[in-house]
Amino acid sequence: MSQTTIDPRSLRPPPKRPIRLSWSDERVRGIFWQVVVVGIVGSIIWWLYSNTVHNLEVRRIATGFGFLNREAGLPIAESLIEYSPTNSYLRALLVGLLNTLKVAVVGIILATILGTIIGVARLSRNWVIAKLSAVYVEVIRDLPLLLQLLFWYALLQGLPGPRQALHPAEGVFLSNRGLKLPWIEWQGAHSLALLLFVAGLVATWLYRRQALAKQIADGNPRPVWHVALLTLVALPLAGWYALGAPFTPDIPALRGFNFQGGLTLSPEYFALLAGLVLYTAGFIAEIVRAGIQAVPKGQWEAAQALGLRPGTVLKQIVLPQALRVIVPPMTSQYLNITKNSSLAVAIGYQDIVSIANTTLNQTGQAIEGIAIIMLVYLSISLSISFFMNWYNARIALVER
Amino acid sequence: MSATMEAVASAARADAPPAILLDKVNKWYGAMHVLRDVSLSVALGERVVVCGPSGSGKSTLIRCVNRLETHQEGSIKVDGIELSDDLRALDAIRREVGMVFQSFNLFPHLTVLENCTLAPIWVRHMPKAEAEALAMEYLERVKIPEQAMKYPGQLSGGQQQRVAIARALCMKPKIMLFDEPTSALDPEMIKEVLETMVGLAETGMTMVCVTHEMGFARQVADRVVFMDRGEIVEQGPPGEIFENPKTDRLKLFLSQILRGH
């Protein structure tokens, strides 16, 4: 049935078509338009550059990044690293970058989880759940993000002050100063336990992969839970215990007009995170729904008719096909969260834009300030894009 | 080989419980009554062809047998197991019942070989090497072993449907259901799929086939069931059904089918 001998004529290279120097030649026109476009873009860039250099000279503005080492003198309310106003602008900008990442990374994770749940819920056979998700998506998509951020921030500002804080459980306070949670005094032993836990996650994942590969090879299912228990619970606990099992609770308490100790989620961070997550989850829900619906019903039926369990059908048949549809638009949403986090400036959360903005106001280095903001967003966005494109290529390998 | 299997099958037919037993099955889509008091018994090794005008409920009927559709009244027993909400019974039944669809429903992201080995590996917990050997055996039987490493999108419709048959056979089902397997195919491809099905029938497989291919019905079927408006109107050996239709509805249907061909 199939032809295995190769027709020798098919080995001949394709003929070379010479270019006719005529306006009716398709390729001549193609080259002409490319030259025109490159010329226009090139001249715009040259004009912008020469104009800027000329204006800077006329106004006698010094350029350069020397200001980064000067003392910032700008206070920052929340920071992941040690910071005081006597630190340099460079450190202040680093704090801003970390604050942006804190919102973007947590936001991407939470929005993905919430969006997936809502997207699946919208396909539910339960009428109430399906309609509720539909209403959520329609409402949240139709309101501007800035409005939603202001709404959440105003809502949090409406909470009572520290002295009348809501106090639902021991050590938990919700007030207009944010959410206070009990925490522990962080020590080396805790870092070790955390490190072991993360290593355990990787180990469990690798073991599970291997167990599945072995199951495919010889048919015997292998349980994974004991490895998970050992690497995720036993080893981190052992590491913590080996370093003396330190445990000093750090419980927030009202001292004067504010709280001391404990873990703080500021109202600004909370409002920004809630706004970004709830907003983006609406879009992600639609992407997930479209992805699942893009897999024809016949795929489910054929897999079920073969006796496959729903979990296996989802993992082996539906997800591989749905992800091809889901991943590219999902990348856009991740980029949107990151870039939309710059709206932080509206509610006073000190992200990279807010701090760079203050920096350029204080130093007058507008071009450098804007350049830094652009560079930061470009780097984060390109990292996300590269990762998602890599992932997309990886899952695309399973198709033709 | 097929002769001995036929003998085994006919011996089993005498005393074994029916492979499929439908008793007064009723089903509604919303307010539409699509199956009305359908009772049907298919013996082990029997080949039944179900025909009827479109919308008569024949596809719904066989989709109820492996519970791709749920019936609301009456009972369906497959291989002695009653179909109910019990998931274990459902798993057991689906392992024994293979199904071939009008639109093939091959998994486009898996190769032909992977399509065939998926269920043996994940449902029967068969070692991969063994599942692949089994798959190649059935791909030989449907005459496309050389396509094993290709993806479904690279095959013609007829080849895809033959892969779908091989995929179902890899689970070594006792019963095969065919839901208009040739309706989506070009004429020259219908022939290759029908030949595969005739070959399968010769092995003594219990088959229930929804089709309008009257030639196939004459050649293979032990019994032809004619359905119209959700009911079984008439049934009997193919010769009798086609030469001496008793009801007006069957006469009308046959005249339309013959005019169409």
Side-chain angles (χ1 to χ4, degrees):
Chain A
M1 183 163 267
S2 75
Q3 201 74 27
T4 45
T5 54
I6 297 164
D7 184 348
R9 276 174 306 171
S10 70
L11 293 173
R12 200 160 60 88
K16 286 200 174 65
R17 206 155 49 97
I19 288 193
R20 280 181 307 124
L21 276 177
S22 151
W23 184 236
S24 62
D25 189 296
E26 195 187 3
R27 281 174 297 169
V28 169
R29 284 199 199 188
I31 290 169
F32 172 80
W33 287 118
Q34 289 180 50
V35 169
V36 167
V37 168
V38 169
I40 292 174
V41 172
S43 359
I44 291 176
I45 291 174
W46 179 82
W47 177 76
L48 283 174
Y49 175 78
S50 62
N51 205 18
T52 310
V53 169
H54 177 249
N55 283 330
L56 285 173
E57 274 170 9
V58 168
R59 289 176 176 75
R60 296 175 193 284
I61 296 174
T63 52
F65 288 90
F67 71 95
L68 285 177
N69 292 320
R70 298 214 299 267
E71 186 182 307
L74 80 99
I76 300 178
E78 56 182 310
S79 167
L80 285 172
I81 53 173
E82 289 288 327
Y83 174 81
S84 80
T86 54
N87 288 133
S88 65
Y89 279 114
L90 188 63
R91 187 142 180 107
L93 289 166
L94 183 64
V95 170
L97 169 64
L98 288 175
N99 281 348
T100 290
L101 285 176
K102 187 166 87 167
V103 165
V105 172
V106 177
I108 284 173
I109 293 169
L110 292 182
T112 306
I113 296 170
L114 184 66
T116 306
I117 292 171
I118 295 169
V120 172
R122 202 169 173 187
L123 295 172
S124 167
R125 268 181 233 145
N126 184 317
W127 188 86
V128 177
I129 291 178
K131 286 294 168 238
L132 274 180
S133 331
V135 168
Y136 175 88
V137 168
E138 290 310 329
V139 170
I140 223 90
R141 283 199 310 184
D142 295 349
L143 295 173
L145 176 57
L146 185 58
L147 185 70
Q148 296 189 32
L149 291 180
L150 293 173
F151 168 79
W152 290 112
Y153 191 57
L155 201 70
L156 290 174
Q157 288 301 302
L159 288 170
R163 281 167 179 278
Q164 290 81 36
L166 299 173
H167 188 211
E170 185 58 39
V172 180
F173 296 95
L174 187 61
S175 70
N176 59 12
R177 303 290 173 90
L179 182 66
K180 296 275 172 184
L181 294 169
W183 194 233
I184 47 168
E185 276 176 26
W186 196 261
Q187 292 180 17
H190 302 120
S191 300
L192 178 69
L194 187 68
L195 201 69
L196 284 172
F197 180 80
V198 173
L201 277 181
V202 176
T204 307
W205 181 71
L206 287 174
Y207 180 81
R208 185 172 167 277
R209 236 174 71 144
Q210 219 194 352
L212 279 180
K214 279 189 186 159
Q215 174 178 352
I216 287 171
D218 70 4
N220 296 326
R222 289 173 175 73
V224 179
W225 64 265
H226 54 265
V227 176
L229 195 69
L230 180 76
T231 58
L232 295 183
V233 180
L235 282 182
L237 276 179
W240 173 68
Y241 193 77
L243 288 188
F247 182 74
T248 322
D250 179 14
I251 299 189
L254 193 62
R255 301 254 190 285
F257 293 109
N258 205 350
F259 296 97
Q260 296 286 312
L263 190 71
T264 309
L265 283 175
S266 74
E268 291 80 18
Y269 178 71
F270 207 76
L272 182 62
L273 188 66
L276 281 175
V277 166
L278 294 174
Y279 179 76
T280 313
F283 291 88
I284 290 181
E286 283 298 273
I287 293 170
V288 169
R289 180 173 73 108
I292 293 174
Q293 284 183 329
V295 181
K297 211 169 139 235
Q299 294 286 309
W300 277 98
E301 289 180 349
Q304 284 177 324
L306 284 167
L308 293 168
R309 291 288 182 77
T312 315
V313 179
L314 204 63
K315 174 102 205 311
Q316 302 291 332
I317 305 300
V318 177
L319 274 185
Q321 296 182 57
L323 279 178
R324 299 183 310 193
V325 183
I326 290 175
V327 169
M330 202 72 128
T331 310
S332 304
Q333 290 306 323
Y334 290 172
L335 296 174
N336 278 348
I337 286 200
T338 310
K339 291 179 293 176
N340 286 342
S341 73
S342 63
L343 288 171
V345 77
I347 54 172
Y349 178 75
Q350 283 167 307
D351 74 329
I352 183 70
V353 174
S354 164
I355 289 174
N357 204 27
T358 313
T359 302
L360 73 87
N361 277 333
Q362 289 182 354
T363 61
Q365 304 283 355
I367 293 177
E368 289 81 357
I370 299 293
I372 288 170
I373 297 175
M374 279 165 57
L375 189 72
V376 164
Y377 281 109
L378 203 60
S379 320
I380 300 176
S381 298
L382 281 178
S383 311
I384 294 174
S385 286
F386 273 125
F387 173 77
M388 294 299 281
N389 288 345
W390 166 81
Y391 182 65
N392 197 32
R394 211 181 82 109
I395 57 171
L397 274 184
V398 296
E399 65 173 319
R400 178 159 61 96
Chain B
M1 177 187 112
S2 74
T4 50
M5 287 182 81
E6 189 110 44
V8 170
S10 57
R13 255 178 247 180
D15 46 278
I20 303 172
L21 183 64
L22 284 82
D23 188 29
K24 295 221 163 108
V25 171
N26 278 283
K27 177 171 177 62
W28 290 261
Y29 283 130
M32 202 163 68
H33 202 168
V34 289
L35 291 180
R36 309 177 191 211
D37 280 336
V38 174
S39 295
L40 181 70
S41 170
V42 179
L44 216 55
E46 196 179 10
R47 272 94 59 170
V48 175
V49 163
V50 182
C51 63
S54 64
S56 60
K58 41 195 202 308
S59 283
T60 308
L61 178 73
I62 70 164
R63 286 162 61 86
C64 279
V65 172
N66 64 355
R67 213 174 172 78
L68 289 181
E69 305 283 352
T70 50
H71 60 287
Q72 284 124 323
E73 236 178 62
S75 86
I76 300 178
K77 277 186 188 166
V78 180
D79 199 23
I81 308 170
E82 167 108 40
L83 263 182
S84 65
D85 293 331
D86 183 13
L87 291 175
R88 268 191 216 172
L90 183 62
D91 279 345
I93 287 170
R94 283 183 173 161
R95 275 198 293 270
E96 303 307 331
V97 179
M99 186 157 191
V100 175
F101 299 84
Q102 180 179 353
S103 49
F104 328 136
N105 293 349
L106 293 178
F107 307 129
H109 61 300
L110 301 177
T111 62
V112 164
L113 188 64
E114 287 165 340
N115 263 279
C116 293
T117 58
L118 186 80
I121 287 173
W122 291 100
V123 181
R124 295 243 190 256
H125 298 305
M126 192 183 277
K128 190 179 179 189
E130 199 182 313
E132 283 180 349
L134 182 75
M136 287 312 293
E137 190 186 317
Y138 282 111
L139 287 174
E140 301 260 2
R141 192 188 287 184
V142 300
K143 303 198 180 69
I144 35 175
E146 73 281 356
Q147 312 285 6
M149 292 306 158
K150 288 196 181 166
Y151 285 90
Q154 294 166 301
L155 305 185
S156 72
Q159 290 174 323
Q160 289 194 45
Q161 194 59 298
R162 284 185 285 150
V163 171
I165 295 173
R167 176 176 73 176
L169 291 177
C170 281
M171 283 296 285
K172 298 199 171 162
K174 290 184 183 156
I175 301 161
M176 282 288 283
L177 306 174
F178 293 85
D179 186 4
E180 305 206 28
T182 56
S183 302
L185 295 174
D186 292 335
E188 75 265 35
M189 293 173 182
I190 291 177
K191 195 165 150 270
E192 62 186 56
V193 170
L194 288 180
E195 276 168 7
T196 308
M197 290 168 62
V198 171
L200 184 61
E202 283 165 0
T203 66
M205 173 70 75
T206 309
M207 291 165 69
V208 179
C209 182
V210 173
T211 184
H212 289 161
E213 294 297 329
M214 294 305 142
F216 172 77
R218 271 177 214 276
Q219 189 183 350
V220 167
D222 297 312
R223 184 156 42 120
V224 174
V225 172
F226 170 66
M227 286 185 75
D228 190 19
R229 289 176 226 154
E231 296 172 307
I232 295 182
V233 177
E234 214 172 305
Q235 53 179 310
E240 202 170 303
I241 288 284
F242 296 139
E243 314 312 338
N244 297 312
K246 291 184 189 67
T247 56
D248 289 341
R249 285 201 259 178
L250 178 53
K251 281 177 195 158
L252 178 70
F253 173 70
L254 288 176
S255 71
Q256 281 166 342
I257 286 276
L258 293 176
R259 204 161 5 136
H261 278 252

Short mmCIF file of all heavy atoms in Angstrom, two decimals, chain B residues 40-60:
data_model
loop_
_atom_site.label_atom_id
_atom_site.label_comp_id
_atom_site.label_asym_id
_atom_site.label_seq_id
_atom_site.Cartn_x
_atom_site.Cartn_y
_atom_site.Cartn_z
N LEU B 40 -34.48 -5.40 23.46
CA LEU B 40 -33.64 -6.04 22.46
C LEU B 40 -32.68 -6.96 23.19
O LEU B 40 -32.13 -6.61 24.24
CB LEU B 40 -32.85 -4.97 21.69
CG LEU B 40 -31.92 -5.45 20.58
CD1 LEU B 40 -32.72 -6.00 19.41
CD2 LEU B 40 -31.03 -4.30 20.11
N SER B 41 -32.49 -8.14 22.64
CA SER B 41 -31.53 -9.07 23.22
C SER B 41 -30.53 -9.46 22.15
O SER B 41 -30.91 -9.85 21.05
CB SER B 41 -32.27 -10.31 23.74
OG SER B 41 -31.34 -11.30 24.08
N VAL B 42 -29.24 -9.30 22.45
CA VAL B 42 -28.20 -9.67 21.50
C VAL B 42 -27.41 -10.81 22.11
O VAL B 42 -26.85 -10.67 23.20
CB VAL B 42 -27.27 -8.48 21.19
CG1 VAL B 42 -26.18 -8.89 20.22
CG2 VAL B 42 -28.07 -7.31 20.65
N ALA B 43 -27.37 -11.95 21.41
CA ALA B 43 -26.66 -13.11 21.95
C ALA B 43 -25.16 -12.95 21.73
O ALA B 43 -24.72 -12.16 20.89
CB ALA B 43 -27.15 -14.37 21.26
N LEU B 44 -24.39 -13.69 22.50
CA LEU B 44 -22.94 -13.67 22.33
C LEU B 44 -22.60 -14.16 20.93
O LEU B 44 -23.12 -15.19 20.49
CB LEU B 44 -22.31 -14.59 23.39
CG LEU B 44 -20.97 -14.16 23.98
CD1 LEU B 44 -21.07 -12.76 24.55
CD2 LEU B 44 -20.53 -15.16 25.03
N GLY B 45 -21.77 -13.44 20.22
CA GLY B 45 -21.36 -13.84 18.88
C GLY B 45 -22.33 -13.42 17.80
O GLY B 45 -22.08 -13.62 16.62
N GLU B 46 -23.45 -12.81 18.19
CA GLU B 46 -24.43 -12.40 17.19
C GLU B 46 -24.02 -11.09 16.54
O GLU B 46 -23.39 -10.25 17.17
CB GLU B 46 -25.80 -12.24 17.85
CG GLU B 46 -26.93 -12.20 16.85
CD GLU B 46 -28.30 -12.05 17.50
OE1 GLU B 46 -28.37 -11.81 18.72
OE2 GLU B 46 -29.30 -12.17 16.79
N ARG B 47 -24.40 -10.92 15.25
CA ARG B 47 -24.14 -9.66 14.55
C ARG B 47 -25.48 -9.01 14.23
O ARG B 47 -26.27 -9.57 13.46
CB ARG B 47 -23.38 -9.91 13.24
CG ARG B 47 -21.88 -9.93 13.41
CD ARG B 47 -21.33 -11.30 13.63
NE ARG B 47 -21.65 -12.20 12.54
CZ ARG B 47 -21.13 -13.40 12.40
NH1 ARG B 47 -20.28 -13.87 13.27
NH2 ARG B 47 -21.48 -14.16 11.39
N VAL B 48 -25.70 -7.84 14.83
CA VAL B 48 -26.98 -7.16 14.63
C VAL B 48 -26.72 -5.84 13.91
O VAL B 48 -25.82 -5.09 14.29
CB VAL B 48 -27.65 -6.88 15.99
CG1 VAL B 48 -28.92 -6.06 15.80
CG2 VAL B 48 -27.95 -8.19 16.70
N VAL B 49 -27.48 -5.61 12.86
CA VAL B 49 -27.41 -4.32 12.18
C VAL B 49 -28.67 -3.54 12.53
O VAL B 49 -29.78 -4.06 12.44
CB VAL B 49 -27.29 -4.50 10.66
CG1 VAL B 49 -27.64 -3.20 9.93
CG2 VAL B 49 -25.87 -4.92 10.29
N VAL B 50 -28.48 -2.28 12.98
CA VAL B 50 -29.61 -1.42 13.30
C VAL B 50 -29.72 -0.39 12.20
O VAL B 50 -28.74 0.29 11.88
CB VAL B 50 -29.42 -0.73 14.67
CG1 VAL B 50 -30.64 0.11 15.02
CG2 VAL B 50 -29.15 -1.75 15.75
N CYS B 51 -30.91 -0.26 11.59
CA CYS B 51 -31.08 0.75 10.56
C CYS B 51 -32.36 1.52 10.81
O CYS B 51 -33.17 1.15 11.67
CB CYS B 51 -31.06 0.14 9.16
SG CYS B 51 -32.42 -1.00 8.88
N GLY B 52 -32.53 2.58 10.09
CA GLY B 52 -33.72 3.41 10.27
C GLY B 52 -33.42 4.82 9.81
O GLY B 52 -32.26 5.18 9.64
N PRO B 53 -34.49 5.62 9.60
CA PRO B 53 -34.26 6.99 9.14
C PRO B 53 -33.52 7.80 10.21
O PRO B 53 -33.47 7.40 11.36
CB PRO B 53 -35.68 7.53 8.92
CG PRO B 53 -36.59 6.61 9.65
CD PRO B 53 -35.90 5.29 9.76
N SER B 54 -32.94 8.94 9.78
CA SER B 54 -32.20 9.73 10.76
C SER B 54 -33.17 10.30 11.78
O SER B 54 -34.31 10.62 11.46
CB SER B 54 -31.43 10.85 10.06
OG SER B 54 -32.33 11.73 9.47
N GLY B 55 -32.71 10.35 13.02
CA GLY B 55 -33.58 10.81 14.09
C GLY B 55 -34.45 9.71 14.66
O GLY B 55 -35.33 9.96 15.46
N SER B 56 -34.20 8.45 14.24
CA SER B 56 -35.06 7.36 14.72
C SER B 56 -34.59 6.82 16.06
O SER B 56 -35.24 5.98 16.65
CB SER B 56 -35.09 6.23 13.69
OG SER B 56 -33.79 5.74 13.47
N GLY B 57 -33.42 7.26 16.54
CA GLY B 57 -32.96 6.85 17.87
C GLY B 57 -31.96 5.71 17.83
O GLY B 57 -31.58 5.21 18.88
N LYS B 58 -31.48 5.32 16.62
CA LYS B 58 -30.58 4.16 16.57
C LYS B 58 -29.23 4.46 17.19
O LYS B 58 -28.70 3.64 17.95
CB LYS B 58 -30.43 3.65 15.13
CG LYS B 58 -30.29 4.73 14.08
CD LYS B 58 -30.50 4.17 12.69
CE LYS B 58 -29.85 5.08 11.66
NZ LYS B 58 -30.25 6.49 11.77
N SER B 59 -28.67 5.66 16.93
CA SER B 59 -27.40 6.02 17.56
C SER B 59 -27.56 6.15 19.07
O SER B 59 -26.73 5.66 19.83
CB SER B 59 -26.87 7.34 17.00
OG SER B 59 -26.30 7.13 15.73
N THR B 60 -28.65 6.79 19.47
CA THR B 60 -28.91 6.94 20.91
C THR B 60 -28.97 5.58 21.57
O THR B 60 -28.44 5.37 22.66
CB THR B 60 -30.25 7.68 21.12
OG1 THR B 60 -30.23 8.88 20.35
CG2 THR B 60 -30.47 8.01 22.57
#
